Amino acid sequence: MKLWKHQEDTLVKTRKLASEGATRIGVALPCGAGKTKIMLEIAQAAVAKGKTVAIYSCRRSNTKQIMDIAASTGITTGVVASEFGRDANSAAPLQVCQMQTVAARIGDYRHPFPYSDVVIVDEAHQQTGSQAKRVLDKHAAGGSIILGFTATPV
């Protein structure tokens, strides 16, 4: 993917924070800045290194957008969202998840938790409730680096 300068700068800063040991990183960029492109660039780089990635989306339309763009990059993608059951692939290195679905399935042996090396949260400012806390804390306890993206200043 060809990135704009501000997207490349965001990647450099995010990678620097992670290399310095940060495990929860917030990224705020304005609408139209290409947050999805940046998220998928991070995912693609992590998958290329043999890591697993979970991207959390809060709406069906965002989930579909992320899936479509991921498919165009060639990353094998699975989905953990009740509306997208036909796209489930728990072996895929990239999982596109909906927070509510994952939270509801915690403890259900039929649906393994999507532990990942890198967790990316789209619209992170909306993921502040008890469900999100439970899911993200479970990821953190598993050693995940958690990146939250938003266009809403916090």
Side-chain angles (χ1 to χ4, degrees):
M1 274 186 266
K2 178 72 175 132
L3 299 176
W4 298 321
K5 182 171 177 0
H6 72 276
Q7 292 169 324
E8 289 174 2
D9 292 346
T10 299
L11 282 173
V12 168
K13 290 174 186 174
T14 303
R15 287 180 177 136
K16 183 176 186 302
L17 288 169
S19 72
E20 292 171 349
T23 57
R24 293 193 183 209
I25 301 167
V27 179
L29 293 167
C31 292
K35 289 178 291 299
T36 302
K37 195 171 185 180
I38 295 169
M39 291 187 296
L40 284 165
E41 182 68 27
I42 291 168
Q44 192 171 30
V47 168
K49 292 177 183 173
K51 301 204 178 285
T52 56
V53 179
I55 298 178
Y56 282 87
S57 169
C58 60
R59 289 188 291 279
R60 273 178 260 172
S61 59
N62 290 29
T63 300
K64 179 80 170 100
Q65 176 191 23
I66 292 166
M67 289 169 51
D68 290 346
I69 296 172
S72 75
T73 67
I75 302 171
T76 303
T77 305
V79 181
V80 183
S82 58
E83 303 91 3
F84 295 91
R86 69 188 177 287
D87 297 308
N89 177 359
S90 61
L94 171 61
Q95 297 293 321
V96 180
C97 308
Q98 288 189 330
M99 192 69 72
Q100 299 84 349
T101 302
V102 174
R105 292 179 178 177
I106 289 178
D108 183 341
Y109 70 92
R110 297 169 298 171
H111 301 284
F113 188 79
Y115 285 107
S116 301
D117 300 302
V118 179
V119 175
I120 300 170
V121 183
D122 189 21
E123 305 290 351
H125 64 282
Q126 294 181 351
Q127 304 297 342
T128 59
S130 61
Q131 280 185 334
K133 181 176 177 3
R134 192 171 57 168
V135 169
L136 296 176
D137 285 352
K138 192 167 177 80
H139 277 295
S144 300
I145 294 175
I146 301 171
L147 308 171
F149 283 77
T150 184
T152 302
V154 290

